[in-house]
Structures are given as structure tokens and as C-alpha cells.
Amino acid sequence: MHKENLALIDIGSNSIRLVIFQLDEGGYHKEVQNLKVVARLSSHINGDGNLTDQGMNVLLASLKRFQDITRTYELIKIKCVATAAIRQVKNQEAILTKITEETDFSIRILTEYEEAFYGYLAVTNSTNLKDGITIDIGGGSTEVTLFNNRQLLYYHSFPFGAITLANKFIKNEIPTSEELTQLRKFLIKHFQTLSWVNQKDLPLIGIGGSARNLALIQQRNINYPLSGLHQYMMKYSNLKEITENLITLPQKQRQSIDGLSKDRADIIIPAAEAITALMEVANAKTFIISNKGLRDGLFYEELFKQLHIDRFQNVAEESFNLLSRNYDISLNHVTYLSSLARNLFCELKGLFAHDLTKEDLRLLHLGCRALYIGEFISHEASSQHTFYLLTNLSIDGISHSDRLKIALIASFKSRSSLQSYLLPFKEWFTKAECEKIEFLGALLKFSYSLNLTKRKVFSTIKLTTQSADNIHIELNYLENPYFEENQAQKYKKHLERILKRRIGLIFCSET
């Protein structure tokens, strides 16, 4: 399939970044380059509101470094955009002219609405969130949006960001109580002008490097056992605790904090204060990290044009489609396996000790999508590789808790291996939830045995008889199921253990 490359350059107030995506006509895409230069353009704006000659030199030098990279790729398009740092300066025309004359790039300055919109587009097409408030803190501006049922309802761009707030309010290396009081008053006052922001129980979603750094600090503090920042959830109290610790430390000590980038040590305090202030004004109880932001929104815009859609209908399904492509999983096999598993789920759910829901069926289906994904690496250790991959990959549209459940279901080998995988996560699930995971994993492993030779030999499966100690399952086949039958007789023991009944398998020919 023909593949093409698309380059995106984002000129921000704090950093300038180049990202190159590879995509084909079927919509398959992946990131192949992600490079950053910390330019701090906001610090090069003088009292007259112009970008200084030094700032211009920094900008041009950064773009020429990226040009060295982009010239090594065959690119269908280069989208180069600028945000607040260039939008707010008075000499922007001179800047754009110089860039056009001295580089390969032509700059588009995003409006306040566009900057907010692309962040919203990234969040709603990479998470499972239908409603929420987003905050994107750049160096020179802060965008806030409100979306409902994945539709953008309100947006606002404030002409202040982490760098400008630091320059305006924090003169001392360790901020004084007066400086912090003035900063907080300023932030609360401005956020309160958003009449639409106070929505009960809506999460606040953080976009950008400062939000990611705060989440990383929290993860390192608690030795978080799951990889990935995307859709990581924090409480207001977690953010407040991190912020209170940051404001007591001189910059050199902040630079050594695990999870905090050295180049953000001087601006992380105003960023953290902005997030906590908005949480207070919005009455938000949960802060969720989005690892996708403006650049991803720009990319989605191009991708959706190619696919003739305006959004992903199901973000999780889209993510698993990409996984299938990356790890050579047959969708034809997965569809049949999912059908077998669903059939068994419906037949056996009444025998399980706990109530099973549509959500459990959804997790089973997603487990089918990733079943033994580790076979791509090694057939011999596919369970271990499957669990490792799924707990170390960010999967768009899936919460961290659900990603762990899917990893446990898809990698299920035995009760003992499940308990071993669960050891670092023993506080995450109740006993009943662990038993559900075991049931779904055992059911999926048994379903896998019924298509061992990938020939789709079974047409129907049904529970025929049951007693307190025994059940019988009738499996109707279209072709000789010799290998499937042998494997099923081995794998049924895992279902027997969780259902506390012996299982008799009855194989019937339909020919």
C-alpha cells in the first residue's frame, strides 16, 4: 500500500517542534519523527511588543535545523503553524517574510479559535471522554474549551502562559507568599470570567508539556506500575501537593525532581497554579492528561479529509485497528474469535458467581482484538510479551484501568500467571473484579482453542445441560475439528476452575 509523509511544525512560545507522520490511503498512520527545540520566543519580545533580532535569529536557526531533517523525507505537505508568540507580536509580517525568504517553510498564524479547536480535536479523537473541559498552557497563551458529547461548545484564549506569568509575577527563585497570592488572584479572576466553565463533575483535561510533567512527577512519586501518560488521572489533592512542594524549592532542586524536565523548572510553578486555579473555578474533581495536543489535532484534520470523515466514530476500535496493523493480527481471525467468545459469554454468564454486564462483554471483545499480540515477538512466551506490550503501550480511547484489564484478559494463561501479573496492581481491583478478569481470560483462551487451525470449523455453540456440578456444551462443526477438540479438552480446565463445575464437550457434525 502506498505510503506518504506529512510534516507538522508547531512554533510555540516555549518550544518549536517538528513531527512527521507516515500515512497510507487506508488511514493507517504512525509517527516517524518528533523533534523539539526549546526556543523561549516569549522571552524575546521587547517592551514595544516586537520579537527582537535575537529572537528572530533563534527562530530562524531552529527552523533551519528542522529544514535539514525535512529535506531528507519525501513529503506530501508541510504544515507550519505559529501560536501566541508570533500572533501577539507587532512585527509578525516582517517575521513571516524573513522565514519565507530564508527557509523552505511558509508560516500560518493560528487564530485563538484555531489553537483551541485543534487541542479539542486531539482530545476528543484520542480519548474515551465525551464531555470535559480542556486547558492548554503554552508559554504565552492559555486555551480553555468546553465540549459536550464530543462537540465543541465554548472556547477562550487568554493572552498569558507559563512564561509570561513567570515573568510578570515571580521575581524570586523561590516565590514569596505575596507573589503567589498575586498570581493566584490573577488566575482566579480571569478564569471566573468564563461563565460556562463551572460544570459539575466534568473532568479537566490537561494538554501540553507542563501538564505532562506534573503527571510524570506524580507517577514517579508513587512508583506508578503502568506505563504511559495519556489518559492518566489525578485528583485535585495530588496536584495541590505537587504544587506546594515545588514552590518550596530553588530552581536547581526543581531541576533534579524526577519527572520534571530541566527546561521547565523555571516555569512549572505558574503552570501548576493555573491548572489548580481552573480546577477550583470549574469545580473539577479529576485532572486527566492528554498526550495529544495541537499538532495531533492538525494531523487529524488532514487524516479526516483523506478518509472523508469528521471524527473517529470509535476511538478505541481505531486504536486496535492500528495495533492489528503494527503486530500483524488477522482481523478476519479476530472477528470469528470475537463471535465465538460472545457466544460462550452469553451461554455461560448465568453460571458465573457475579453479574456480567455489557461493559464486561466490551472488555472481552477488546481482549479478542489483542489476544496473544505477543506472538509477534515470540510464540513460546506470547503470554508474557502480550502483557508487557499492552501495559507499556498507550492505547487511545482506553483508560489505564481498562488497559490493564484488557492486558490481563488477552494474556491469560492460567490462574497462577494471572496472579503473578496482578502483583504490582493488587490495590487496583476488588476480589470480584479479579474473578471477572479470570473468567473472561479463561473464556477467551478456550475460544482461541476452538479456532486453533484458523479454519472457522464451528458454526454454533450452546449450553445443553447443567447441574450443580456439571455442564455440557455442544459444539457443532462444519469440518473435522481434531486439533481444536484436543486443545479445547486441555483449555476447558481454566473455565472449570472459575465456574466450579466440570465441563463436558459434545462435538456434533453438521454435515
Side-chain angles (χ1 to χ4, degrees), residues 301-458:
E301 180 181 59
E302 291 298 316
L303 178 64
F304 295 164
K305 283 179 187 175
Q306 177 179 302
L307 298 176
H308 306 292
I309 60 176
D310 61 0
R311 67 171 74 176
F312 292 133
Q313 289 303 308
N314 187 312
V315 175
E317 284 292 327
E318 180 64 26
S319 296
F320 279 94
N321 285 339
L322 292 177
L323 273 181
S324 296
R325 285 286 300 272
N326 285 332
Y327 293 95
D328 199 24
I329 297 172
S330 166
L331 286 179
N332 189 36
H333 171 50
V334 163
T335 301
Y336 179 67
L337 179 65
S338 186
S339 175
L340 288 177
R342 183 186 184 91
N343 192 338
L344 278 166
F345 178 92
C346 294
E347 291 291 313
L348 299 177
K349 67 178 182 178
L351 304 178
F352 185 55
H354 307 288
D355 289 337
L356 294 165
T357 65
K358 287 183 179 179
E359 175 60 17
D360 297 312
L361 188 58
R362 184 184 77 92
L363 290 173
L364 177 64
H365 166 70
L366 293 176
C368 288
R369 297 297 310 268
L371 178 66
Y372 296 148
I373 194 174
E375 285 189 350
F376 182 83
I377 298 172
S378 165
H379 177 76
E380 186 179 0
S382 62
S383 171
Q384 294 95 317
H385 288 306
T386 297
F387 184 74
Y388 177 83
L389 284 170
L390 293 175
T391 52
N392 284 275
L393 287 170
S394 286
I395 303 177
D396 291 354
I398 301 292
S399 70
H400 282 216
S401 176
D402 280 356
R403 176 156 58 97
L404 177 57
K405 288 179 181 178
I406 293 163
L408 293 164
I409 293 165
S411 66
F412 183 83
K413 188 177 180 183
S414 65
R415 177 176 287 178
S416 60
S417 67
L418 173 64
Q419 290 171 342
S420 174
Y421 291 149
L422 272 168
L423 276 177
F425 309 94
K426 55 188 176 183
E427 305 298 327
W428 283 46
F429 306 124
T430 64
K431 182 181 177 183
E433 287 175 317
C434 291
E435 289 174 354
K436 276 191 180 185
I437 291 167
E438 182 181 352
F439 172 70
L440 296 174
L443 191 151
L444 187 51
K445 186 176 178 73
F446 182 74
S447 301
Y448 176 78
S449 73
L450 299 180
N451 196 35
L452 187 67
T453 59
K454 311 289 193 296
R455 293 177 301 144
K456 303 181 182 179
V457 299
F458 295 103

Side-chain angles (χ1 to χ4, degrees), residues 465-485:
T465 60
Q466 61 174 290
S467 67
D469 301 314
N470 298 279
I471 60 174
H472 289 90
I473 299 173
E474 182 180 297
L475 302 102
N476 297 293
Y477 61 86
L478 301 168
E479 298 182 55
N480 189 326
Y482 175 82
F483 295 103
E484 282 79 9
E485 182 176 349

Side-chain angles (χ1 to χ4, degrees), residues 44-59:
H44 295 289
I45 298 173
N46 62 26
D48 295 326
N50 291 313
L51 185 69
T52 64
D53 290 342
Q54 185 181 358
M56 176 67 80
N57 291 335
V58 169
L59 174 56

Side-chain angles (χ1 to χ4, degrees), residues 132-402:
I133 300 165
T134 70
I135 179 170
D136 185 353
I137 308 171
S141 69
T142 298
E143 281 67 46
V144 180
T145 76
L146 170 67
F147 62 92
N148 177 254
N149 198 26
R150 298 181 71 194
Q151 295 291 335
L152 180 63
L153 296 185
Y154 301 100
Y155 82 94
H156 190 82
S157 179
F158 292 100
F160 56 79
I163 295 174
T164 50
L165 288 171
N167 291 340
K168 182 173 182 177
F169 290 100
I170 300 177
K171 308 301 181 187
N172 295 282
E173 193 170 332
I174 298 178
T176 66
S177 58
E178 177 62 24
E179 287 173 343
L180 290 169
T181 298
Q182 293 304 314
L183 171 62
R184 289 166 182 165
K185 280 183 179 179
F186 175 87
L187 290 166
I188 295 282
K189 174 186 173 184
H190 281 79
F191 290 146
Q192 283 178 337
T193 63
L194 305 178
S195 59
W196 43 265
V197 83
N198 192 342
Q199 304 279 335
K200 276 192 174 181
D201 299 326
L202 282 188
L204 180 65
I205 301 113
I207 301 169
S210 294
R212 291 194 297 272
N213 273 220
L214 291 168
L216 267 175
I217 293 170
Q218 164 74 359
Q219 287 189 346
R220 304 287 166 78
N221 282 347
I222 63 174
N223 294 315
Y224 190 66
L226 201 64
S227 291
L229 284 173
H230 194 53
Q231 292 195 213
Y232 179 68
M233 298 174 64
M234 299 172 66
K235 296 178 181 177
Y236 172 80
S237 57
N238 302 142
L239 274 171
K240 198 68 178 172
E241 183 181 355
I242 291 169
T243 306
E244 292 298 328
N245 180 52
L246 288 169
I247 63 179
T248 66
L249 303 174
Q251 186 172 323
K252 193 168 184 179
Q253 281 186 251
R254 290 200 296 273
Q255 288 178 335
S256 65
I257 292 177
D258 201 7
L260 178 59
S261 299
K262 285 185 177 181
D263 60 327
R264 289 191 183 273
D266 60 333
I267 60 172
I268 193 65
I269 291 174
E273 291 288 358
I275 292 170
T276 53
L278 185 55
M279 286 193 80
E280 290 169 13
V281 172
N283 197 29
K285 305 294 189 298
T286 308
F287 182 57
I288 301 176
I289 311 305
S290 172
N291 215 19
K292 305 291 177 74
L294 184 145
R295 290 174 299 278
D296 302 277
L298 286 162
F299 172 72
Y300 288 145
E301 180 181 59
E302 291 298 316
L303 178 64
F304 295 164
K305 283 179 187 175
Q306 177 179 302
L307 298 176
H308 306 292
I309 60 176
D310 61 0
R311 67 171 74 176
F312 292 133
Q313 289 303 308
N314 187 312
V315 175
E317 284 292 327
E318 180 64 26
S319 296
F320 279 94
N321 285 339
L322 292 177
L323 273 181
S324 296
R325 285 286 300 272
N326 285 332
Y327 293 95
D328 199 24
I329 297 172
S330 166
L331 286 179
N332 189 36
H333 171 50
V334 163
T335 301
Y336 179 67
L337 179 65
S338 186
S339 175
L340 288 177
R342 183 186 184 91
N343 192 338
L344 278 166
F345 178 92
C346 294
E347 291 291 313
L348 299 177
K349 67 178 182 178
L351 304 178
F352 185 55
H354 307 288
D355 289 337
L356 294 165
T357 65
K358 287 183 179 179
E359 175 60 17
D360 297 312
L361 188 58
R362 184 184 77 92
L363 290 173
L364 177 64
H365 166 70
L366 293 176
C368 288
R369 297 297 310 268
L371 178 66
Y372 296 148
I373 194 174
E375 285 189 350
F376 182 83
I377 298 172
S378 165
H379 177 76
E380 186 179 0
S382 62
S383 171
Q384 294 95 317
H385 288 306
T386 297
F387 184 74
Y388 177 83
L389 284 170
L390 293 175
T391 52
N392 284 275
L393 287 170
S394 286
I395 303 177
D396 291 354
I398 301 292
S399 70
H400 282 216
S401 176
D402 280 356

